[in-house]
Amino acid sequence: MTTSNLHRQPAPPLYERIKGTLREGILSGHYAPASLLPSEAALGEQFNASRITVRQALADLQNEGLIFRRHGKGTFVSQPKAFQNVTALQGFAEAMSAQGHAIRNRVLTLRTVPAPTDVAQALQLAPGTAVVELHRVRLLDQLPVSLEVTWLPEALGSIVARADLVTRDVFLVLEQDAGVALGHATLAIDAALADHATATALDNTGAGAALLRVERLTHDAQGAPIDFERLYFRGDAFQYRLRLDRQVASHAQSILPLQSTV
């Protein structure tokens, strides 16, 4: 037996090859967003595969969010997800507009309420202190992608309440109208399921649909908390991206050379 035979890797299953070819075609733009993929029968003929094998490949691509199916119409290429980098403190419209997206907001409620315990704690206020609560749906290219719930101390909230909240980010209102210098924000990101109210606000999202939930507490340049938010993004339409650099701790021990005992 030759060395080359010893190290030869088995060929991947046929459905993996079909999936890889289709994925490459989707990511390269050969299959454009919203375009109709070839039928299962056509793919079976193209790859000399059974319909079961083709369906397995398509099921994996659907699980990855690259395609979706419409009953009686076929399989279509998904629209690419919009994304926001979290390496800088930016409002949603600020970040999306820079990528060429059109942003509008649908204001659901704007009111003054007693601060719930968790909100008061985040904003370093006494429980029950009056805060301004804002609920908005963010529309990306006319598609509702997130529900944003914001709490602000009353003094700042009253300024935000007078602004055009249909087109402007709260961050820009705080900077431009209230004269607040923003400093930093802390984020907590996890998964959630849409309840009935959130599903209704996001239109086509059904109750129980997967959401990306972001809790963000923004501080001014002096470090005081001024803006507490809970953001609920549609998992099928949006993602956060960030870059992580490797940092070696300065106090890490050096590797000592081995000493001979001979």
Side-chain angles (χ1 to χ4, degrees), residues 133-136 147-151 228-232:
E133 180 182 270
L134 170 64
H135 293 236
R136 289 194 300 178
L147 172 65
E148 175 183 285
V149 184
T150 304
W151 293 272
F228 183 57
E229 298 169 286
R230 289 196 177 100
L231 316 173
Y232 301 89

Side-chain angles (χ1 to χ4, degrees), residues 112-132 151-154:
T112 300
V113 299
T117 301
D118 57 339
V119 173
Q121 182 177 4
L123 294 175
Q124 297 181 7
L125 302 171
T129 301
V131 293
V132 171
W151 293 272
L152 300 150
E154 189 175 24

Side-chain angles (χ1 to χ4, degrees), residues 131-147:
V131 293
V132 171
E133 180 182 270
L134 170 64
H135 293 236
R136 289 194 300 178
V137 173
R138 314 303 299 270
L139 291 93
L140 176 74
D141 300 327
Q142 302 184 31
L143 173 70
V145 294
S146 71
L147 172 65

Side-chain angles (χ1 to χ4, degrees), residues 51-209:
R51 182 161 293 191
I52 292 176
T53 300
V54 170
R55 285 177 178 170
Q56 187 174 5
L58 293 177
D60 282 4
L61 292 173
Q62 186 172 16
N63 289 336
E64 293 177 21
L66 293 177
I67 63 174
F68 64 95
R69 299 183 182 186
R70 289 180 178 166
H71 182 69
K73 295 185 177 180
T75 303
F76 296 81
V77 178
S78 300
Q79 293 285 348
K81 289 185 179 181
F83 66 91
Q84 181 175 354
N85 287 314
V86 291
T87 52
L89 182 57
Q90 289 183 304
F92 183 71
E94 184 181 9
M96 295 297 99
S97 297
Q99 298 180 32
H101 296 288
I103 304 298
R104 300 283 289 182
N105 306 311
R106 184 187 301 155
V107 178
L108 302 180
T109 60
L110 176 63
R111 58 185 181 174
T112 300
V113 299
T117 301
D118 57 339
V119 173
Q121 182 177 4
L123 294 175
Q124 297 181 7
L125 302 171
T129 301
V131 293
V132 171
E133 180 182 270
L134 170 64
H135 293 236
R136 289 194 300 178
V137 173
R138 314 303 299 270
L139 291 93
L140 176 74
D141 300 327
Q142 302 184 31
L143 173 70
V145 294
S146 71
L147 172 65
E148 175 183 285
V149 184
T150 304
W151 293 272
L152 300 150
E154 189 175 24
L156 291 176
S158 62
I159 297 173
V160 170
R162 296 194 294 268
D164 177 10
L165 297 174
V166 173
T167 62
R168 299 178 69 191
D169 276 333
V170 169
F171 281 177
L172 294 183
V173 176
L174 290 173
E175 289 179 324
Q176 297 171 357
D177 298 13
V180 174
L182 299 181
H184 71 280
T186 56
L187 279 74
I189 304 174
D190 63 2
L193 299 179
D195 59 19
H196 178 73
T198 305
T200 300
L202 295 178
D203 292 354
N204 294 327
T205 301

Side-chain angles (χ1 to χ4, degrees), residues 19-42:
K19 179 174 66 175
T21 301
L22 292 176
R23 182 194 288 114
E24 182 180 353
I26 292 169
L27 297 180
S28 68
H30 176 72
Y31 296 115
S35 65
L36 178 66
L37 284 180
S39 67
E40 292 179 359

